[in-house]
Amino acid sequence: MVEKSKIQPIEFLWLGLYGFAGFSLELILGMVVGLFQKEGLSISMNGALTAVLWFGAAYLLARYANNKFGFDLFEIRKTPESKALLLIVGLVLLIIAVSTFGFGGFKPIVEFNGDLQQSVPAFIFRNIYYLAETGLIVVTVAFGQAFFERQFSLSEKFPTGGLFLALTWGLMHFLLQGFVGGLYTIFFSLAAGCIFVLCKKDIRWAYLFVAIAFIL
């Protein structure tokens, strides 16, 4: 393990970029499957396999950061204060409201009646998929936050992890989902960064609230 005093901020930048790269595992999965079958995977199977890859990537990055740098993502921190909890709930509700407006209805219901074709298994695996994606989101935010704080001596209260996510995962969605999709993802990234900071950088609390906002 590298001594904490000797850890360079760029190490956390690389970890954050690895987290961002982890999102591409779904694309790689699709390319590999495409080599063997033209019709591709079902929604349920794609959700299940992608979730395994994303959960695996998030876990490996967290384990590496702890073993190599003593940076424990799962370190128990203080429970968010009452005022912070109110702000967090407000952010979650704001995200849900924006998502509902963008989807033209409550997201889970719209998806269930839409591309999921009212399939209960597909609905379950879609939400497992979202839970796995949330794992990569909060891990990437945590590493981005660590990089900016150490590199620029910024306050812990400034959600730089969300900014990092917006500049990577967020900007990528302009290519994947167009202008509106990219704009929403930028907004979500910044909101997720705020939630992470308000949760005192406790990844357990941050994961819970970001997952609720992401799924709903």
Side-chain angles (χ1 to χ4, degrees), residues 160-172:
T160 50
L163 177 62
F164 179 82
L165 186 68
L167 293 174
T168 52
W169 183 69
L171 290 179
M172 179 184 70

Side-chain angles (χ1 to χ4, degrees), residues 123-136:
F123 181 75
I124 292 173
F125 283 108
R126 172 61 63 82
N127 283 288
I128 293 174
Y129 169 99
Y130 285 147
L131 290 172
E133 190 167 10
T134 301
L136 268 184

Side-chain angles (χ1 to χ4, degrees), residues 31-176:
M31 294 172 62
V32 172
V33 171
L35 296 175
F36 300 97
Q37 56 184 59
K38 294 181 179 180
E39 61 273 14
L41 297 172
S42 66
I43 292 177
S44 296
M45 186 59 68
N46 180 74
L49 292 178
T50 302
V52 170
L53 293 173
W54 281 346
F55 272 131
Y59 170 75
L60 290 174
L61 284 171
R63 183 174 180 179
Y64 177 81
N66 189 27
N67 292 340
K68 183 73 173 179
F69 307 114
F71 186 75
D72 187 3
L73 284 174
F74 299 100
E75 178 183 355
I76 297 177
R77 303 175 186 272
K78 295 181 180 179
T79 302
E81 300 173 355
S82 299
K83 292 182 179 180
L85 281 173
L86 288 175
L87 290 173
I88 292 168
V89 171
L91 280 170
V92 170
L93 292 176
L94 176 61
I95 293 171
I96 294 173
V98 173
S99 175
T100 300
F101 176 78
F103 273 81
F106 190 49
K107 179 181 174 182
I109 295 177
V110 172
E111 289 192 326
F112 182 73
N113 293 323
D115 61 328
L116 299 182
Q117 299 178 348
Q118 298 184 342
S119 168
V120 174
F123 181 75
I124 292 173
F125 283 108
R126 172 61 63 82
N127 283 288
I128 293 174
Y129 169 99
Y130 285 147
L131 290 172
E133 190 167 10
T134 301
L136 268 184
I137 287 171
V138 294
V139 164
T140 304
V141 167
F143 290 138
Q145 185 80 27
F147 165 69
F148 277 107
E149 287 180 6
R150 287 162 173 77
Q151 181 66 43
F152 303 106
S153 300
L154 297 176
S155 170
E156 292 185 352
K157 296 181 180 180
F158 190 70
T160 50
L163 177 62
F164 179 82
L165 186 68
L167 293 174
T168 52
W169 183 69
L171 290 179
M172 179 184 70
H173 278 74
F174 279 102
L175 299 176
L176 298 176

